[in-house]
Amino acid sequence: MWTVAQLNADLTAGSTSSRRLTEEALARIADPAGEGKRAFMKVYADSALAEADFSDRLRKSGVRRSPVDGLPVSLKDLFDVAGDVTHAGSTVLNARAEKDAAAVARLRAAGAVFVGRTNMVEFAFGTTGINPHYGTPKSPWDRATGRLPGGSSSGAAVAQADGMCVMALGSDTRGSVRIPAAFCGVTGFKPTIRRVPREGAFPLSYTLDSIGPLANSVACCAVYDAILAGEAPEALPELPVRGMRFLLPKSEVRDGLDREVAQAFDAALERLKRAGAEIVEQPVPAFDRQSEYFKGGGFAGAEAYAIHRKNAERLGEYDPRVAKRVMMAKELNAADYVDLMLLQTAYKREVEAVLTPFDAFLLPTTPCIPPPIAEVNASDESYFRWNMRILRLVGLVNFLDGCAVSLPCHAKGAAPVGLMVSGPAMSDRRILAVAAAVEKALAR
């Protein structure tokens, strides 16, 4: 399993090279028996090898641009790359980008090697990972059945899980980093919105979109988070789990968990208690009012309609399920939008007050394990029912403009289950450090 720390040590020792790592990533993408053809919409093989060679030459001359210099990275298809088309998982867009997205530019300056653009739900509007235009990559768990990868950053999570990159760059509007991370058994981080600039990333929601990494550990996510945020990529402080206080929301959102999810989550809580953490279960009434926060599609629905209404005559070229969701918010008016803004302000105030005595709050990332693609795709009714079920827990953090890590908490070989460690806005580095402590405790 690739980690930034291990690969850095190997590169420094000369036991590997950026070119070798990039060749390995490209070989996995190209493997006809793998998911590369569905996980990636475009592969940058030639330029990736050139970037890797340049990184190796710099390293030999004593230059190291960052801890991720020379490491293979994938980019979700909604990020602009200079000279390339940003399709955002659709067949409608065909304009070439004039410059890199801000997040891409920061990664490029840090020496990241871009291996390609990953598949996604069209225009990031869905949590299943299904894309009828470019295919749907399968979760690494139970590939014989063909399970959902989660979305909208579907290709990102599959690429990360299958060793096609060291980090997969994704976006999260209502769980689009954390859901696929949970379904594919990797780690994903959703930062506070304003932490990472969104210029050059095709929007779903101006109010809720955030940009974050999927990687193989919390420490890896933390390194990339710092680079994306324009900060020095310093190591996280090592915090002891003993003495930490976690809020376990007593809320209807925890009803109806799959047996596998409930068992893995409860087992994780028990391990944290044995490691000396205090788990406090108490009601959070604000978490039981989600129907108000996302009525008519909420911010994402209203803003997606504003973005896509200029393409009204081309909606027939959209995934019909995406088009349907775009049109759901057509009847929302300005007063509804203002009411939603006021509701969000009150929600933030209420939840932040509840969280004050705690290091983080804990929830499963999704209430279910990855369902079969065929079952979800069988009908519109099935699709929308699964879509709403999958996103039930994660949206609480987006409406808060909070930050959250999803990390695997299932037993080896079992169905993938994510544990979500969350906090309020701008507690990002603290939440990452807390999540790293949780990760360590769960590994014992």
Side-chain angles (χ1 to χ4, degrees):
M1 184 178 75
W2 279 349
T3 66
V4 171
Q6 182 59 55
L7 293 179
N8 252 315
D10 292 345
L11 287 168
T12 300
S15 57
T16 192
S17 66
S18 178
R19 184 177 183 91
R20 186 180 305 167
L21 296 173
T22 303
E23 287 175 341
E24 289 180 21
L26 293 172
R28 288 169 184 153
I29 296 170
D31 183 356
E35 290 296 303
K37 56 185 174 294
R38 285 177 286 271
F40 280 82
M41 290 181 57
K42 185 172 184 179
V43 180
Y44 297 140
D46 292 341
S47 61
L49 291 172
E51 290 165 5
D53 288 342
F54 182 60
S55 176
D56 287 335
R57 288 197 299 272
L58 288 180
R59 189 176 301 105
K60 286 178 181 177
S61 65
V63 177
R64 179 174 175 267
R65 289 169 287 182
S66 80
V68 304
D69 195 346
L71 303 186
V73 164
S74 68
L75 306 171
K76 188 176 181 178
D77 188 50
L78 55 69
F79 293 104
D80 284 350
V81 176
D84 206 355
V85 177
T86 303
H87 291 289
S90 179
T91 59
V92 174
L93 305 181
N94 55 21
R96 292 193 178 276
E98 295 182 359
K99 62 180 182 178
D100 289 342
V104 173
R106 287 182 173 178
L107 290 171
R108 193 186 294 279
V113 173
F114 302 135
V115 293
R117 307 176 69 89
T118 52
N119 200 354
M120 56 182 282
V121 175
E122 186 176 30
F123 297 122
F125 213 169
T127 63
T128 63
I130 290 173
N131 186 308
H133 307 301
Y134 301 103
T136 302
K138 301 173 186 175
S139 165
W141 178 69
D142 190 14
R143 285 219 163 119
T145 299
R147 303 274 179 165
L148 283 188
S152 61
S153 306
S154 53
V158 173
Q160 185 60 44
D162 284 5
M164 300 172 187
C165 52
V166 178
M167 186 277 287
L169 186 65
S171 65
D172 192 309
T173 304
R174 194 175 172 186
S176 286
V177 162
R178 290 162 290 153
I179 290 166
F183 276 8
C184 293
V186 299
T187 302
F189 178 57
K190 176 248 178 289
T192 305
I193 290 168
R194 59 187 177 273
R195 184 168 175 76
V196 181
R198 297 176 294 175
E199 290 82 6
F202 193 91
L204 170 58
S205 169
Y206 303 115
T207 302
L208 300 178
D209 290 351
S210 56
I211 295 170
L214 296 91
N216 286 335
S217 71
V218 176
C220 294
C221 285
V223 173
Y224 283 103
D225 165 73
I227 290 168
L228 291 165
E231 299 178 354
E234 298 175 352
L236 293 170
E238 292 192 22
L239 304 178
V241 165
R242 181 168 300 279
M244 285 186 177
R245 300 187 76 236
F246 294 110
L247 170 64
L248 177 62
K250 191 174 184 179
S251 165
E252 65 185 26
V253 297
R254 285 172 51 209
D255 294 343
L257 301 180
D258 279 5
R259 174 180 53 82
E260 296 92 335
V261 174
Q263 289 178 348
F265 182 67
D266 289 345
L269 296 183
E270 286 303 313
R271 276 179 281 174
L272 291 174
K273 290 177 184 176
R274 290 198 299 270
E278 181 183 3
I279 310 288
V280 179
E281 186 173 16
Q282 70 179 51
V284 184
F287 284 177
D288 292 328
R289 299 195 290 268
Q290 282 202 78
S291 60
E292 300 174 38
Y293 313 148
F294 301 106
K295 183 179 179 181
F299 284 125
E303 292 163 359
Y305 178 70
I307 291 162
H308 292 280
R309 59 182 173 175
K310 64 181 179 295
N311 289 332
E313 74 285 354
R314 301 192 67 181
L315 283 179
E317 300 174 54
Y318 284 36
D319 174 349
R321 292 158 177 170
V322 171
K324 185 174 182 178
R325 295 192 74 193
V326 167
M327 296 305 293
M328 278 176 57
K330 185 177 181 180
E331 303 307 319
L332 286 175
N333 59 40
D336 295 328
Y337 193 83
V338 170
D339 286 345
L340 189 58
M341 292 172 64
L342 295 174
L343 184 63
Q344 186 189 35
T345 299
Y347 170 82
K348 288 180 180 178
R349 188 181 302 119
E350 181 177 346
V351 175
E352 286 172 359
V354 171
L355 294 179
T356 298
F358 299 99
D359 289 284
F361 71 91
L362 304 178
L363 283 170
T365 307
T366 64
C368 57
I369 61 173
I373 295 171
E375 178 182 335
V376 176
N377 226 5
S379 66
D380 284 357
E381 187 277 331
S382 180
Y383 178 93
F384 288 114
R385 175 171 52 82
W386 274 108
N387 187 74
M388 293 305 296
R389 186 179 184 212
I390 290 166
L391 56 71
R392 194 175 76 206
L393 296 160
V394 286
L396 296 166
V397 179
N398 297 90
F399 201 65
L400 181 66
D401 187 19
C403 53
V405 175
S406 175
L407 54 92
C409 68
H410 55 279
K412 186 176 181 180
V417 176
L419 170 68
M420 191 162 56
V421 182
S422 309
M426 299 308 291
S427 63
D428 298 61
R429 299 305 286 184
R430 171 70 184 180
I431 287 296
L432 282 162
V434 170
V438 171
E439 179 184 58
K440 185 177 180 179
L442 297 184
R444 291 173 182 164

